[in-house]
Amino acid sequence: MKVLVADKFEKSGIDGLKAAGCDIVYEPDLKDDALTQAIKNTGADVLVVRSTAVTAPMLESGALSLVVRAGAGYNTIDVATASKRGIYVSNCPGKNAIAVAELAFALLLALDRRVPDNVADLRAGTWNKKEYSKAKGLFGRTLGLLGYGNIGQEMAKRAHVFGMPIVVWSRRFASGKENIADAPIAMQMAKSPEEVAERSDVLSVHLALTPETRGLVSASVIDKLKPGSYFVNTARAEVVDYAALDKAVRERNIRVGLDVFAGEPSGATGEFRDALASHPSVYGTHHIGASTDQAQEAIAAETVRIIASYKDTGKVPNVVNLAKKTPATHMLVVRHRDRPGVLAHVFDHLRNGDINVQETENVIFEGAQAAVARINLDGAPSDALLKAIQEGNGDILDLHLVTI
């Protein structure tokens, strides 16, 4: 299996892929047209990327069957095109959670104690203990969390140790999927993002970017923040209305820590100008939340696990683009002797009846003399078609149709 690694990747990951029997092409500086051409020229089966964008032309240019995002988010990958072409997309969720939470908390502490300004004045030869002795402190101040995935949970652990009450809004709690009372740390649940903002002294954003979360932290949320409160975003710029945030900074003394920005340079270095980042009340970092040695080693190990599993079993851990629910409306259950041609006979008749198979599994009974096939269909076969299937092959023992 040929693997094209088109981003910086840990040596332990390269070694692990080689040990798994993969043929590695390591070209960490590839992007845009050069990456498209490399995918075509190498005939790679698997593409590994970190921050590099994976576009439709890239996915259409070669023989890729799996793209692994060596990180958590996958908004830089054209998942829709991958799905159309039957290319798996997988990621490494949770492996950078501690690293991102550490940076988010570092930004929070920096905002409260104005650490960057302290450092800048000292380097400039200015001593100003009078000014920098002004700090609110974090103990007893309420942390609001928008999102309670892996990173949000790590933030809650750290806030709890700092003595901060926690209020959270998350779809897992709002939908009833999970009960906040079962969380390992005592928290209060808010009914909406607006309520979290209203109740918080510090609001920290930990939402994955999806169509539902894009722009979710809107002006209606930001306007609920108390004057002088803190706002931290280490998730994605696209989930926050930065124009509304800029207004809050300028008009209501909101102090902000950001690791993500709109219009970030595509490469690791480059010129960057941003009005929000230049404001004295905004501390920014260079989208480095996941960039610790510990996180990258963990991500590399997970990437190796994903690719090795695909190579050895055909199964892809952490796949993000398989349908949660197919268009299937009926299941055809066929008990049959385990002999060649039985399922081909069934599928031929379904095709002739213009019925599409959505999913199928064939389970063998002990002794390998008989099996049962469960075939999910996008429509109901007629009685005549079912009769033709059963009577047309003597190895079919029984069949019945179930409405899904």
Side-chain angles (χ1 to χ4, degrees), residues 66-112:
L66 169 63
V67 177
V68 180
R69 161 73 166 98
Y74 47 91
N75 58 298
T76 54
I77 299 171
D78 188 337
V79 176
T81 297
S83 298
K84 289 177 184 176
R85 295 185 62 83
I87 299 172
Y88 292 107
V89 177
S90 184
N91 66 343
C92 303
K95 300 303 177 182
N96 61 4
I98 290 175
V100 177
E102 287 175 347
L103 179 63
F105 224 89
L107 287 168
L108 172 53
L109 289 165
L111 287 169
D112 191 60

Side-chain angles (χ1 to χ4, degrees), residues 67-301:
V67 177
V68 180
R69 161 73 166 98
Y74 47 91
N75 58 298
T76 54
I77 299 171
D78 188 337
V79 176
T81 297
S83 298
K84 289 177 184 176
R85 295 185 62 83
I87 299 172
Y88 292 107
V89 177
S90 184
N91 66 343
C92 303
K95 300 303 177 182
N96 61 4
I98 290 175
V100 177
E102 287 175 347
L103 179 63
F105 224 89
L107 287 168
L108 172 53
L109 289 165
L111 287 169
D112 191 60
R113 304 307 293 263
R114 291 189 289 172
V115 174
D117 302 327
N118 273 263
V119 173
D121 273 358
L122 279 175
R123 287 179 174 171
T126 300
W127 181 265
N128 197 347
K129 182 175 181 179
K130 179 180 179 181
E131 175 63 25
Y132 293 123
S133 294
K134 302 171 185 177
K136 297 178 180 179
L138 300 184
F139 180 81
R141 300 183 72 204
T142 299
L143 172 67
L145 294 175
L146 292 179
Y148 194 67
N150 292 307
I151 299 170
Q153 291 170 39
E154 293 296 336
M155 276 296 287
K157 293 176 186 177
R158 285 151 182 77
H160 179 70
V161 173
F162 270 73
M164 301 180 73
I166 303 165
V167 59
V168 61
W169 177 86
S170 170
R171 286 167 292 178
R172 69 179 62 204
F173 298 134
S175 66
K177 181 180 177 181
E178 294 183 21
N179 190 337
I180 196 168
D182 297 330
I185 293 171
M187 301 181 296
Q188 294 183 327
M189 184 179 75
K191 295 180 180 178
S192 67
E194 287 81 1
E195 184 184 341
V196 175
E198 189 172 28
R199 294 170 60 180
S200 300
D201 299 299
V202 179
L203 183 63
S204 192
V205 180
H206 304 286
L207 297 166
L209 178 61
T210 68
E212 293 75 26
T213 62
R214 184 178 292 272
L216 187 145
V217 188
S218 62
S220 66
V221 176
I222 293 168
D223 289 348
K224 293 291 185 180
L225 290 168
K226 305 167 189 172
S229 56
Y230 303 159
F231 180 94
V232 175
N233 184 18
T234 54
R236 288 288 184 271
E238 293 88 344
V239 304
V240 178
D241 182 341
Y242 272 17
L245 185 61
D246 183 83
K247 182 179 178 183
V249 168
R250 299 177 188 282
E251 297 181 0
R252 297 171 45 239
N253 194 32
I254 303 299
R255 293 178 56 75
V256 173
L258 300 174
D259 186 46
V260 289
F261 297 89
E264 294 177 7
S266 59
T269 60
E271 186 174 337
F272 180 66
R273 295 285 185 271
D274 184 274
L276 188 57
S278 66
H279 195 281
S281 293
V282 177
Y283 294 157
T285 50
H286 302 238
H287 203 153
I288 56 168
S291 299
T292 67
D293 290 346
Q294 293 172 337
Q296 293 309 309
E297 289 289 346
I299 287 170

